[in-house]
Amino acid sequence: MKKITVSAPGKLMLFGEHAVVYNRPCLVTAVNQRLNLEAEIIKNQILLLEAPDVQIQEYQKELKDLGKGDIPKAARFVEMAVKNFLTEYQLPAGLKIKTRAEFSAQFGFGSSSASTVCVLKGLSEIAKIKLTNKEIFDLSYKTVLDIQGKGSGFDVAAAIYGGTIYFWTGGKIIEPINIDSIPLVVGYSGIKADTVTLINQVKEKADKNPELVEGIYNRIEEIVNQAKEKILKKEWDKVGDLMNKNHHLLKQLGVSIDKLDKMCQAALDAGAYGAKLSGAGGGDCMIALVSEEKREQVARAIEKAGGIMIEVKVNAEGVRIEV
Ligand code: MEV
């Protein structure tokens, strides 16, 4: 096989962000906006990368130099994923990779983790090595840690397994939640957040006040476990209540911002069951849980608070080979 096209979904964190970095669980769902990647074997021993969505054009590097020198931020995940693959397995020659996302890299939907997963899935197919999902997870998570130093791996798991999953730090538990959908509205704050900066900010707070932060993480863990049960029973009013509590704890961690708080409050005032920021905080998206009757009203209220609606379906399929 010389050429392959793979796609993986973006994700939305439902419950448990930040605490999941520190040996705790979270709930994450895959969304139906995908990252597409085409990988092709070429003659020269180089990696050629085209990722126009993130302004990477005609990027090239000798295979033996992968991971070395100054790598543009937007090329890091693909380059390190290829490097990590080549450390363990072989390819017949060099590679040309093209990526195209159906969602903006600004949303915090996890374009970096989705592209990492696509690289490893695609290369394992080209090299005819039947890697299991868990093996792809381990290599992808290693790639994320090589670049960021920190992170739970939940985004990588969502891109691989798809659906909605109960996930524990580092993939200790990856459990599918058997539901058909979750009635969510998604609002983008218009502000790009940097996950590593926010993780570091929380770490600083934890270093100064470990008991306070451990206490918050413990409460978030309880909320995640309760939310898992309530989502399975479709008790949306209770799930909404847990979202509000989770948002409140994230505020205490210091990762929310005025804009996200206002968007969440607007959603609640318009009749949402609950609302919270989704992801690292500092910007990116918020989610609100709604009844079908209130959906439009809540969406308009979030817009009035300055949010941009993003139409997505949750529970999307994980990484797949495209024909
Ligand atoms: C970022 O979307 C969510 C965090 O929990 C980081 C992670 O789990 O890797 C802050």
Side-chain angles (χ1 to χ4, degrees), residues 236-249:
W236 301 128
D237 52 338
K238 304 232 169 67
V239 177
D241 198 41
L242 292 165
M243 282 170 84
N244 296 337
K245 288 188 172 135
N246 196 162
H247 184 73
H248 187 69
L249 290 164

Side-chain angles (χ1 to χ4, degrees), residues 11 13 16-21 150-155 195 199 279-280:
K11 54 79 188 150
M13 178 69 98
E17 47 273 268
H18 287 287
V20 68
V21 180
K150 296 185 182 93
S152 64
F154 83 106
D155 39 6
T195 303
I199 293 179

Side-chain angles (χ1 to χ4, degrees), residues 228-290:
K228 180 184 169 196
E229 299 309 315
K230 301 299 173 197
I231 287 173
L232 279 167
K233 291 184 185 153
K234 298 191 176 184
E235 291 180 13
W236 301 128
D237 52 338
K238 304 232 169 67
V239 177
D241 198 41
L242 292 165
M243 282 170 84
N244 296 337
K245 288 188 172 135
N246 196 162
H247 184 73
H248 187 69
L249 290 164
L250 290 164
K251 273 177 79 165
Q252 286 182 21
L253 278 183
V255 296
S256 193
I257 54 168
D258 261 10
K259 180 100 182 249
L260 287 168
D261 292 343
K262 283 195 182 116
M263 289 162 72
C264 289
Q265 191 55 51
L268 294 178
D269 292 344
Y273 292 122
K276 66 182 277 295
L277 69 83
S278 168
D284 288 349
C285 290
M286 52 73 71
I287 50 177
L289 194 70
V290 293

